[in-house]
Amino acid sequence: MSAISPDPQPVIDGRGGTILGPRNVPIELENPDVLISPTTDAGTVPNLKWPFALSHNRVLSGGWARETTTRELAISTEIAGVNMRLTPGGIRELHWHKEAEWAYVIAGSCRISILDEEGRLFIDDVSVGDLWYFPAGLPHSIQALADGVEFLLVFDSGDFSENETFLITDWFNHTPREVLAKNFGVAESAFDNLPTDIGHTRYMFAGEVPPALADDAPGPPATQPPQSFTWHMHAQEPTKTPGGQMRVTDSRNFTVSERIAAALIEIEPGGVRELHWHPNADEWQYYLKGQGRMTVFASGGKSRTFDYQAGDVGAVPFAMGHYIENTGDETLVFLEMFRSDHFADVSLAQWMGVLPPELVKAHLNLDDDVIAGLPRTKPGMVA
Ligand code: MN
Ligand code: MN
């Protein structure tokens, strides 16, 4: 990549002209392939990028939360994401929702719990690189430990909103007091001090750091469900290739994760996640570190290139071809997420490599030595 000018202008190879009107230089600097698109880009392709930095942030006593849904990134109908921070002891209010929830811990640590339909309570502590998965409809809790926590949440519907979950305080405050008294077998006065925070809910609030897990376990007769709702993704042995490495987590190893599949991808500087596509679902990306660019091939002569950096969300509609190139000088790290029980991709190079050579040659006029050198296995990340 050429050095980026502090005053980028859409002028190149005798084309274009300087910007005379109002402009936003920081955004133009972050998006050089939007300011001057590659000449291979063509046609109308929907927006496939959203920075969490542009998402509304809900700032409360226990931390903050910002979401990227179809309201922010209209093309992403299958998946929505939430970036959430809880300060030490901070509590995400007891709740449940219609969507399945998958999470990746970005920093710090927290304690999660989930109740299954058999009345069994699963409780565990998670830290950087760990996942949790909550099936749709099951109630759960999240509380930050002494170091606080930040995590990414992924939901199996683009229309999800963190502001539309079923909150325990909301239900209490919208049930007649005499019914609450009957339900719990106590006097109505027991509910005189229900919280009446904004909207009669708490959503997220400051709390005390809980004791060690052994001292915070559910009391008898609560039992642990047979399956785990957490997973140590960073403990997985990565698949290494010359340009980087990847870890795939889906229902084949993290068995409860029946609605979300994930891949954690690392690409070394200058490397490329090879030209590929996914035969089962849209792709939803979250960039954790570094910077890169992606061109999405939309068929019908259409393609569009986007630049991404840590904190951005990227999207690839179902079956569209794409690559991701590390354009920075540090390792590019991102998550590929799919609304599926399994991760699946198709490699362009492998497809060409296993076809009869004459058939490939008839299409692309490639030399015999190029065709002979095509891989029979997926290259993955290319140096
Ligand atoms: Mn939730
Ligand atoms: Mn992909």
Side-chain angles (χ1 to χ4, degrees):
M1 295 296 290
S2 55
I4 296 172
S5 161
D7 176 33
Q9 294 288 351
V11 179
I12 188 169
D13 298 338
R15 295 181 289 121
T18 56
I19 297 172
L20 302 178
R23 60 187 306 199
N24 190 323
V25 173
I27 289 180
E28 288 159 359
L29 282 170
E30 287 182 2
N31 299 278
D33 291 292
V34 175
L35 187 68
I36 305 174
S37 65
T39 55
T40 42
D41 278 12
T44 303
V45 175
N47 176 50
L48 302 174
K49 172 180 177 173
W50 184 266
F52 266 109
L54 282 176
S55 292
H56 166 72
N57 203 9
R58 196 171 172 189
V59 182
L60 295 163
S61 70
W64 50 257
R66 47 189 180 177
E67 64 186 13
T68 297
T69 72
T70 49
R71 272 79 64 185
E72 289 77 26
L73 182 61
I75 196 76
S76 184
T77 57
E78 294 187 354
I79 286 183
V82 173
N83 177 207
M84 186 177 292
R85 169 85 160 98
L86 293 170
T87 50
I91 297 170
R92 169 66 172 90
E93 180 177 344
L94 293 169
H95 72 282
W96 70 98
H97 33 74
K98 299 172 184 174
E99 300 79 7
E101 172 178 324
W102 181 101
Y104 175 91
V105 180
I106 298 168
S109 59
C110 61
R111 179 162 303 161
I112 61 96
S113 78
I114 177 170
L115 183 76
D116 76 3
E117 63 271 30
E118 306 294 335
R120 299 175 294 202
L121 189 75
F122 178 88
I123 183 166
D124 198 11
D125 289 350
V126 288
S127 59
V128 179
D130 291 345
L131 313 180
W132 71 74
Y133 182 86
F134 298 149
L138 294 182
H140 47 273
S141 67
I142 309 167
Q143 183 174 21
L145 299 178
D147 50 350
V149 71
E150 184 174 333
F151 48 83
L152 173 75
L153 300 174
V154 168
F155 300 88
D156 66 342
S157 169
D159 290 333
F160 173 84
S161 174
E162 262 293 295
N163 305 316
E164 301 293 334
T165 62
F166 297 94
L167 301 172
I168 192 170
T169 55
D170 203 9
W171 202 6
F172 268 80
N173 281 311
H174 293 91
T175 302
R177 291 290 167 90
E178 65 271 22
V179 174
L180 288 177
K182 281 185 187 176
N183 189 73
F184 293 99
V186 297
E188 284 185 39
S189 60
F191 306 102
D192 285 349
N193 297 317
L194 287 178
T196 53
D197 299 23
I198 301 166
H200 299 282
T201 69
R202 310 202 75 172
Y203 178 64
M204 175 188 285
F205 57 102
E208 296 296 321
V209 174
L213 186 56
D215 302 320
D216 200 27
T223 54
Q224 289 263 329
Q227 74 277 44
S228 178
F229 292 87
T230 56
W231 180 261
H232 303 299
M233 192 181 205
H234 283 195
Q236 286 180 237
E237 192 61 35
T239 301
K240 294 182 191 293
T241 69
Q245 61 182 32
M246 69 188 294
R247 293 174 173 87
V248 172
T249 306
D250 59 22
S251 65
R252 292 172 290 196
N253 47 13
F254 184 24
T255 53
V256 294
S257 191
E258 293 178 341
R259 293 278 289 168
I260 296 289
L264 178 63
I265 311 281
E266 297 175 46
I267 308 174
E268 295 310 316
V272 176
R273 166 104 166 87
E274 62 164 321
L275 292 166
H276 71 282
W277 68 95
H278 304 275
N280 56 335
D282 293 348
E283 175 173 338
W284 191 94
Q285 303 163 340
Y286 178 69
Y287 287 85
L288 286 156
K289 189 189 285 188
Q291 63 179 62
R293 70 169 180 166
M294 172 171 74
T295 301
V296 172
F297 166 56
S299 82
K302 298 187 294 289
S303 72
R304 186 170 169 190
T305 304
F306 295 84
D307 303 292
Y308 300 92
Q309 60 183 6
D312 289 346
V313 172
V316 185
F318 175 57
M320 291 189 184
H322 54 285
Y323 67 87
I324 296 102
E325 179 184 23
N326 185 342
T327 54
D329 52 14
E330 62 177 326
T331 304
L332 174 64
V333 184
F334 67 99
L335 286 160
E336 295 183 0
M337 312 293 310
F338 306 89
R339 188 173 73 181
S340 177
D341 64 349
H342 69 286
F343 173 87
D345 64 0
V346 178
S347 160
L348 175 65
Q350 183 188 38
W351 183 34
M352 294 167 62
V354 299
L355 278 167
E358 291 305 318
L359 183 57
V360 176
K361 189 174 181 180
H363 286 79
L364 296 166
N365 296 328
L366 299 173
D367 288 343
D368 288 337
D369 58 338
V370 174
I371 291 174
L374 287 168
R376 269 65 172 173
T377 57
K378 291 176 186 175
M381 281 61 63
V382 182

